[in-house]
């Protein structure tokens, strides 16, 4: 199998793992929070990250991956930022209506596109932008039911969107800049994320629920679901870093909205949640947007691969051609020395 084929297979595997694990943990957490009354989401997330770190430490001990230390300040800042973004998202949900919270999540894609365009000069074609617009419209129809606004909730939502976008962009850029894998980055940043949420989690949960996590009645059933949630979270955290590293923050957000549609569908089928024509219409429109986004991304990726291959082949031809082209006309090579004033252009195509 070619290198490109292996990369595509790995990407498909990462996307599939992310969808399955994320939908599973949402269903598990919904039972834990709605049915069993354990509403301490931020503290639960800190436990998720601690279990993830311990699991990766065992994997490192078993030599399943290689530890690769790099800039400690970058890792610390990235880990703390990730923890803050999770806390802000939970606060946004607590101080806003469910509909406005869903709008907050929808705003992450256009904000990510804007930041990558302004600071990383990344170009998004009109077809990609159109596909994303269809996707956001569909998810909005399916999930947004009310838009009750308040000043504090709006500020928290804005901060949540900004920190989430920056954290996800950093997840992609750090892996490429420092040549680290998703597992290596997750292993090093997990302690900082976990400690941030472990410290602020109980306070945020008390603020949102008016209950103390330390005095909750931990029945055997609650403990089973907490352990199950933590075990699934290992796969969720790993696949999140893997997907963003292999694709992009925007693609990860598109995948997140696919999970939302699947959760709605599973909620209706398994838990008999309310379902109406708006949910069905929104999911169908969102699926059209996802399919078109995937198609146009595949087409553009293939075009870039073909262009890169063509440039590489031209460069090899120019290196083996005895008559090497020169910038200011044809030059004659005598005893290995070109005419004075000529500029070599043997690798011009590499910088076109």
């Amino acid at each position: 199998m070619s290198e490109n084929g292996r990369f595509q297979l790995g990407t498909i595997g990462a996307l599939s793992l992310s969808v399955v694990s994320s939908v599973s943990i949402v269903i598990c957490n919904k039972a834990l929070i709605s049915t069993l009354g354990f509403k301490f989401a931020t503290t639960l997330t800190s436990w998720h990250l601690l279990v993830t770190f311990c699991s990766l430490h065992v994997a490192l001990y078993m030599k399943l991956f290689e530890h690769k230390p790099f800039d400690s300040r970058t890792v610390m800042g990235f880990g703390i930022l990730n923890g803050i973004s999770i806390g802000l998202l939970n606060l946004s949900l607590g101080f806003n209506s469910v509909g406005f919270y869903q709008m907050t999540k929808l705003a992450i894609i256009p904000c990510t596109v804007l930041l990558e365009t302004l600071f990383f000069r990344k170009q998004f074609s009109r077809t990609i932008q159109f596909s994303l617009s269809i996707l956001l419209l569909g998810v909005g129809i399916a999930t947004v039911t009310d838009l009750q606004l308040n000043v504090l909730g709006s500020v928290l939502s804005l901060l949540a969107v900004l920190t989430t976008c920056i954290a996800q962009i950093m997840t992609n850029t750090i892996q490429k800049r420092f040549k680290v894998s998703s597992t290596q980055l997750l292993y090093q940043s997990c302690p900082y994320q976990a400690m941030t949420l472990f410290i602020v989690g109980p306070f945020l949960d008390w603020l949102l629920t008016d209950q103390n996590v330390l005095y909750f009645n931990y029945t055997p059933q609650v403990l089973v679901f907490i352990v199950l949630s933590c075990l699934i979270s290992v796969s969720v955290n790993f696949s999140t870093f893997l997907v963003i590293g292999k694709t992009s923050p925007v693609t990860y957000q598109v995948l997140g909205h696919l999970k939302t549609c699947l959760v709605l569908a599973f909620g209706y089928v398994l838990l008999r949640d309310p379902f109406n024509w708006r949910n069905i219409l929104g999911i169908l429109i969102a699926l059209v947007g996802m399919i078109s986004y995937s198609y146009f991304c595949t087409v553009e990726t293939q075009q870039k691969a073909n262009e890169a291959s063509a440039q590489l082949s031209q460069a090899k031809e120019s290196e083996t051609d005895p008559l090497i082209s020169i910038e200011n006309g044809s030059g004659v090579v005598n005893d290995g020395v070109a005419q004075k004033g000529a500029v070599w252009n043997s690798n011009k195509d590499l910088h076109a």
Side-chain angles (χ1 to χ4, degrees), residues 25 34 74 77 145 163 199 212 223 254 279 311:
I25 201 170
S34 301
T74 300
T145 54
T163 53
I199 293 170
N212 193 324
L223 292 175
V254 171
N279 300 128
Q311 289 181 350

Side-chain angles (χ1 to χ4, degrees), residues 41-51 193-194 197-199 201:
T42 309
T43 302
L44 180 62
T45 305
S46 71
W47 297 346
H48 287 171
L49 290 164
L50 284 173
V51 172
Q193 295 183 60
L197 294 176
F198 196 76
I199 293 170

Side-chain angles (χ1 to χ4, degrees), residues 14 16-18 20-22 25 52 186 229-242:
S16 301
L17 178 63
S18 180
V20 172
S21 58
S22 295
I25 201 170
T52 299
L186 180 61
S229 179
C230 289
L231 291 176
I232 299 174
S233 73
V234 177
S235 177
V236 173
N237 291 324
F238 172 73
S239 62
T240 296
F241 278 59
L242 188 61

